[in-house]
Amino acid sequence: MEKKKTYSIGDLAQEFDVTTRSVRFYENQGLLHPTRRGQTRIFSSKDRVRLKLILRGKRMGLSLAETKELFDLWDETTSGSEKQLLLMLKTIKRRRAVIEQQKEDIAMMEMELNTAENRCLEALKKVSSTLRSDLT
């Protein structure tokens, strides 16, 4: 019989380059469920995978509430469900829309910065040429 791999809070924090405080926060949010031996938290392989998914979701812009909702749907079955997959697809679609809007906003901001910069450069040329002509 193979012994299940367990992890300390420090093991997970080091592996995923997060603070132990972050791991405790995710636990407090109900996303991780370590067992306890006295004051020591003992995380399972499932907790390790969940932490990996939490951090991946964070990089994708998912809120912790969205991540928790996906975990809750997963926990209802032994292998996930159509409902979970549909929710994930809906969440991805929503995140893509947000990112597209952000890209458009950034493009507009770049245009505004370019316009402002060009105006400043033109004004600077006029000021410099006026100063030169006043000196001669």
Side-chain angles (χ1 to χ4, degrees):
M1 185 170 169
E2 184 181 324
K3 186 179 177 193
K4 275 183 127 177
K5 176 80 170 132
T6 59
Y7 304 87
S8 70
I9 192 169
D11 294 336
L12 292 179
Q14 183 176 11
E15 179 178 354
F16 293 104
D17 195 28
V18 295
T19 63
T20 55
R21 184 176 180 188
S22 294
V23 177
R24 284 191 298 275
F25 176 76
Y26 297 137
E27 176 188 357
N28 289 338
Q29 296 300 306
L31 297 168
L32 302 174
H33 307 285
T35 57
R36 297 233 181 212
R37 189 177 304 130
Q39 292 291 344
T40 305
R41 291 171 172 83
I42 302 168
F43 294 88
S44 66
S45 295
K46 181 179 178 181
D47 289 314
R48 182 185 167 280
V49 169
R50 281 179 174 245
L51 180 55
K52 186 176 186 175
L53 293 172
I54 292 165
L55 298 174
R56 182 179 294 158
K58 187 176 170 184
R59 286 191 304 274
M60 291 171 44
L62 271 64
S63 69
L64 291 180
E66 289 170 319
T67 299
K68 184 170 183 352
E69 187 175 7
L70 289 165
F71 284 174
D72 290 346
L73 285 174
W74 181 266
D75 290 344
E76 289 176 4
T77 68
T78 56
S79 63
S81 68
E82 179 182 17
K83 188 176 175 183
Q84 180 195 35
L85 295 170
L86 291 171
L87 176 61
M88 185 62 184
L89 288 171
K90 181 179 172 185
T91 303
I92 289 169
K93 184 177 182 178
R94 192 171 49 246
R95 285 299 308 149
R96 281 190 195 280
V98 169
I99 289 170
E100 286 304 317
Q101 183 61 55
Q102 289 173 334
K103 285 169 37 177
E104 289 174 21
D105 293 346
I106 289 169
M108 183 61 78
M109 190 185 308
E110 283 182 318
M111 286 175 29
E112 294 288 339
L113 288 170
N114 289 339
T115 300
E117 182 180 41
N118 289 334
R119 286 182 181 161
C120 287
L121 290 171
E122 287 300 316
L124 187 58
K125 283 181 190 176
K126 286 180 184 176
V127 169
S128 295
S129 77
T130 304
L131 284 175
R132 274 188 252 127
S133 65
D134 288 348
L135 292 175
T136 57

